[in-house]
Amino acid sequence: MQTLRDSLRPWGQALANLLFPLDCAACHFPLTASHGSDRLCHSCAQQLTPITPPYCQRCAEPFPADPSLTIVCPNCQNRPTAFDFAFAGYESRGPVRDLIHNFKYNRQLHLRVVLGQLLLKGLDEPRIQARQDWIITPVPLHARKLRDRRFNQALEISRRLHRHTQFPLIPGLRRQRDTTSQATLDRKGRLANLKDAFTLTPQARRQRLFAGRHILLIDDVLTTGATLHECAQVLKKEGQAATVVGLCIARG
Ligand SMILES: [Zn+2]
Ligand SMILES: [Zn+2]
């Protein structure tokens, strides 16, 4: 005969699942209470490669050098960017890379929780930490791509950042041109491809939402910086933003 205890057990399990997820978001190893609210198992967490000083002060490329040095890499020295600097908490490899891939290309929306959490790592950057008056703006997707993917990965992780920091979240950029996939293009090709791809939303323009403000421009991966550059240009020229900092989960 089923006891009261037996009949309550599924409810207890449901509550336990709510309190901590069943398995690691990256490798599906079962998680226990010792993982707390982390979504990654200890082994996957150990495989994360945070970006630590010294790194290029413009594009966050890590350098094997004295950590006290402030460096701008040769690439950035002869390449002006519209953003003030870009940063990512992690290098794009191992579990981070797999998670981002599954999030974007396998439409695993639930991964926004763990990826949103990983985005927060970038807040450790001293120049980001130095301000408390940021505005969060995600890199937009074109409407057609949004229909295919069903969500904008940059907006999803921006929501987590907004909840954590309470910085206003203003999705005030619009992608007006559907650019072909960037993945096969070099930086020059990407820049040509992205020209005039972005604009302000009518509301951001009308209400001057970015004028004089300091923007954290959010994307999942920082690769050549071409997308961040084009968005930052619009935010500064059309939006009159004072500062634009690119913040991504990972640096490719
Ligand atoms: Zn794992
Ligand atoms: Zn650089």
Side-chain angles (χ1 to χ4, degrees):
M1 202 185 96
Q2 201 185 35
T3 61
L4 178 63
R5 191 186 166 144
D6 286 337
S7 57
L8 284 178
R9 185 166 288 148
W11 295 98
Q13 190 60 53
L15 184 63
N17 292 353
L18 269 180
L19 292 177
F20 44 88
L22 277 181
D23 51 32
C24 169
C27 75
H28 306 294
F29 180 83
L31 295 179
T32 61
S34 79
H35 292 91
S37 62
D38 292 348
R39 309 285 171 140
L40 294 177
C41 71
H42 298 313
S43 156
C44 287
Q46 264 172 13
Q47 289 176 57
L48 300 176
T49 44
I51 293 180
T52 53
Y55 49 81
C56 170
Q57 294 294 293
R58 191 84 54 76
C59 74
E61 186 181 341
F63 277 95
D66 178 351
S68 63
L69 290 177
T70 22
I71 306 163
V72 173
C73 77
N75 267 342
C76 290
Q77 276 168 22
N78 27 19
R79 178 197 290 165
T81 53
F83 53 82
D84 295 79
F85 69 93
F87 189 70
Y90 298 96
E91 290 181 45
S92 175
R93 55 165 97 160
V96 175
R97 192 195 180 117
D98 296 345
L99 286 166
I100 291 175
H101 182 90
N102 285 331
F103 184 43
K104 270 161 75 169
Y105 301 112
N106 296 331
R107 291 191 197 147
Q108 297 186 15
L109 180 58
H110 66 98
L111 293 178
R112 65 185 165 180
V113 179
V114 64
L115 288 170
Q117 187 122 8
L118 292 172
L119 177 67
L120 301 181
K121 177 76 177 160
L123 295 173
D124 294 347
E125 214 289 331
R127 291 166 295 174
I128 295 179
Q129 233 172 45
R131 306 203 78 92
Q132 288 303 315
D133 54 353
W134 295 107
I135 281 181
I136 301 168
T137 299
V139 167
L141 272 191
H142 188 267
R144 191 175 311 145
K145 203 152 207 179
L146 192 59
R147 272 199 301 276
D148 288 351
R149 194 173 289 167
R150 303 200 189 126
F151 59 88
N152 174 1
Q153 72 277 4
L155 174 61
E156 296 301 330
I157 57 175
S158 292
R159 289 198 170 108
R160 176 76 180 88
L161 183 66
H162 162 67
R163 277 201 307 278
H164 182 83
T165 59
Q166 298 298 312
F167 300 149
L169 170 57
I170 303 183
L173 283 172
R174 196 167 66 86
R175 204 169 195 131
Q176 58 186 349
R177 217 155 53 72
D178 190 12
T179 48
T180 54
S181 180
Q182 297 267 91
T184 57
L185 301 171
D186 63 7
R187 187 171 189 278
K188 215 171 151 194
R190 288 183 187 211
L191 279 176
N193 191 39
L194 284 170
K195 195 149 172 34
D196 301 324
F198 300 96
T199 184
L200 296 184
T201 60
Q203 190 196 16
R205 188 186 308 274
R206 213 171 36 241
Q207 299 181 8
R208 297 178 45 77
L209 295 178
F210 296 123
R213 309 300 296 267
H214 310 285
I215 319 289
L216 288 178
L217 176 61
I218 309 300
D219 207 356
D220 50 350
V221 185
L222 166 61
T223 39
T224 65
T227 304
L228 294 179
H229 170 75
E230 286 300 318
C231 288
Q233 194 147 298
V234 171
L235 287 167
K236 285 198 166 172
K237 276 194 182 153
E238 294 179 42
Q240 297 290 301
T243 313
V244 179
V245 168
L247 177 59
C248 303
I249 301 168
R251 191 184 189 289

